[in-house]
């Protein structure tokens, strides 16, 4: 595991810090949340934004009935739990590289791990709906062809090797399955981008986030044999809301409000990337 990832997701539980909240660790999708300047945002808004980012990805994954879903970089497993609750009959595997995150995930999702009936979804006589495994995006400890969908929410910015991630995704998808990944990437492959982002944002300077161009993922998906590869910018629904939420604690120009600056300068954007495995 890379040192910056080990430290960031170690003893401190980011999912319970006020900037994240609700057991999620992502910037959120703020479409439909009232961002007018005179209306203070609430913790409920913040949690909704993070749930909605998951819902966007799960919609894009076009899940079949009773889907088998792998989430790569699942953090505290809150998005895995949402998937089980909102997709009837779903069986979800949450994978994360960090053992501390998985310890927290197993504690937070203990009910689902025991296979107890869900409110409004009392179906679980069969396989348990949720499990967690430790593994890296680049080397998944999972069999071939086991998943209808591979999803990932705000984790790919940490993956050192998107070629290996795409190859492993193609391997573990069943024929006809779909990948749906959302995260932030540079808008192009200009050689100055890593230095520009390191100058603006601590997490790029310290190596936690990697300045991958979005084409690194789309090209890797194509090279792995996936088809209908698409990257869609969703930044307009991510960055302004995230920045508004951050303004509670940070002044303009300070870390991490430079995420919005990087977006406005055309360096960084937030994307949804989908690709299919031939049936
Ligand atoms: C920003 S958190 C997102 C967590 C969750 N998806 C969410 O939205 O709440 C990123 C997660 O990716 C995990 N991660 C980082 N590098 C990884 C890798 N190479 N393979 C698998 N997981 C990784 C981290 O341990 C962390 O839990």
């Amino acid at each position: 595991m890379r040192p910056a990832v080990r430290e960031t997701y170690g003893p401190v539980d980011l999912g319970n810090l006020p900037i994240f909240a609700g057991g999620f660790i992502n910037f959120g999708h703020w479409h439909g949340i009232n961002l007018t300047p005179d209306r203070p945002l609430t913790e409920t808004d913040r949690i909704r934004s993070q749930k909605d980012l998951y819902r966007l990805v799960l919609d894009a994954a076009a899940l079949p009935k009773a889907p088998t879903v792998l989430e790569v970089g699942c953090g505290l497993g809150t998005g895995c739990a949402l998937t089980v609750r909102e997709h009837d009959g779903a069986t979800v595997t949450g994978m994360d590289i960090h053992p501390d995150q998985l310890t927290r995930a197993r504690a937070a999702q203990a009910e689902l791990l025991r296979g107890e009936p869900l409110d409004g979804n009392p179906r679980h006589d069969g396989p348990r709906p949720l499990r967690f495994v430790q593994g890296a995006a680049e080397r998944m400890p999972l069999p071939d062809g086991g998943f209808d969908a591979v999803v990932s929410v705000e984790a790919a910015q940490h993956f050192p090797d998107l070629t290996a991630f795409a190859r492993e995704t193609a391997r573990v998808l069943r024929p006809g399955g779909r990948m749906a990944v959302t995260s932030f990437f540079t808008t192009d492959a200009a050689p100055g981008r890593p230095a520009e982002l390191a100058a603006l944002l601590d997490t790029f300077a310290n190596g936690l986030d990697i300045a991958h161009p979005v084409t690194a993922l789309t090209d890797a998906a194509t090279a792995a044999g996936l088809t209908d590869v698409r990257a869609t910018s969703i930044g307009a629904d991510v960055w302004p809301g995230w920045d508004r939420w951050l303004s509670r604690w940070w002044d303009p120009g300070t870390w991490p409000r430079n995420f919005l600056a990087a977006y406005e300068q055309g360096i960084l954007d937030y994307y949804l990337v989908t690709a299919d495995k031939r049936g």
Side-chain angles (χ1 to χ4, degrees):
M1 193 187 329
R2 298 183 309 112
V5 169
R6 185 187 304 281
E7 279 156 34
T8 302
Y9 299 105
V12 176
D13 179 2
L14 295 188
N16 280 320
L17 297 182
I19 61 162
F20 292 108
F24 294 96
I25 313 174
N26 66 64
F27 295 169
H29 190 261
W30 298 79
H31 184 82
I33 298 175
N34 184 348
L35 296 176
T36 48
D38 53 350
R39 178 185 171 271
L41 291 176
T42 64
E43 190 178 277
T44 304
D45 293 326
R46 178 66 183 115
I47 294 171
R48 176 181 156 191
S49 76
Q50 296 182 90
K51 287 182 173 175
D52 284 354
L53 189 58
Y54 269 93
R55 291 178 178 132
L56 184 87
V57 168
L58 292 164
D59 275 0
L63 301 178
K65 286 210 165 83
T68 50
V69 179
L70 169 66
E71 183 184 357
V72 182
C74 65
L76 276 64
T78 322
C80 296
L82 176 146
T83 308
V84 170
R85 293 202 164 90
E86 298 190 357
H87 292 268
D88 205 17
T91 306
V92 179
T93 299
M95 189 181 83
D96 203 284
I97 200 168
H98 205 303
D100 292 3
Q101 292 288 68
L102 291 171
T103 300
R104 288 189 273 267
R106 290 192 175 103
Q109 315 307 338
E111 255 178 50
L112 281 182
L113 289 172
R114 284 194 298 269
E116 288 174 6
L118 301 168
D119 287 353
N121 186 16
R123 60 121 198 160
H124 293 296
D125 306 331
R128 300 251 163 116
L130 179 61
R131 67 175 175 146
F132 291 109
V133 297
Q134 188 179 353
E138 302 78 18
R139 197 166 171 208
M140 304 183 188
L142 297 164
D144 297 359
F147 297 95
D148 296 310
V150 173
V151 301
S152 186
V153 174
E154 207 167 299
Q157 77 282 0
H158 300 322
F159 301 164
D161 184 348
L162 292 178
T163 301
F165 167 57
R167 193 173 56 234
E168 283 289 82
T169 296
R171 181 180 67 75
V172 303
L173 277 174
R174 69 156 172 81
R178 176 171 288 185
M179 171 186 95
V181 172
T182 196
S183 190
F184 45 93
F185 299 91
T186 61
T187 53
D188 62 28
R193 295 305 187 210
E196 287 170 335
L197 284 171
L200 282 171
L201 288 158
D202 291 354
T203 50
F204 284 92
N206 71 18
L208 176 64
D209 296 328
I210 300 170
H212 292 299
V214 68
T215 49
L217 181 55
T218 54
D219 290 352
T222 303
L226 299 176
T227 59
D228 204 9
V229 180
R230 290 163 199 242
T232 310
S233 164
I234 59 166
D237 285 320
V238 173
W239 303 114
W242 168 237
D243 190 72
R244 188 60 208 296
W245 180 249
L246 291 173
S247 68
R248 284 181 166 208
W249 298 280
W250 281 279
D251 290 329
T254 61
W255 151 261
R257 300 213 41 208
N258 282 339
F259 274 107
L260 181 63
Y263 169 61
E264 287 173 344
Q265 289 170 32
I267 301 171
L268 194 71
D269 203 353
Y270 214 105
Y271 292 92
L272 174 65
V273 178
T274 55
D276 295 341
K277 181 161 171 176
R278 259 191 209 95

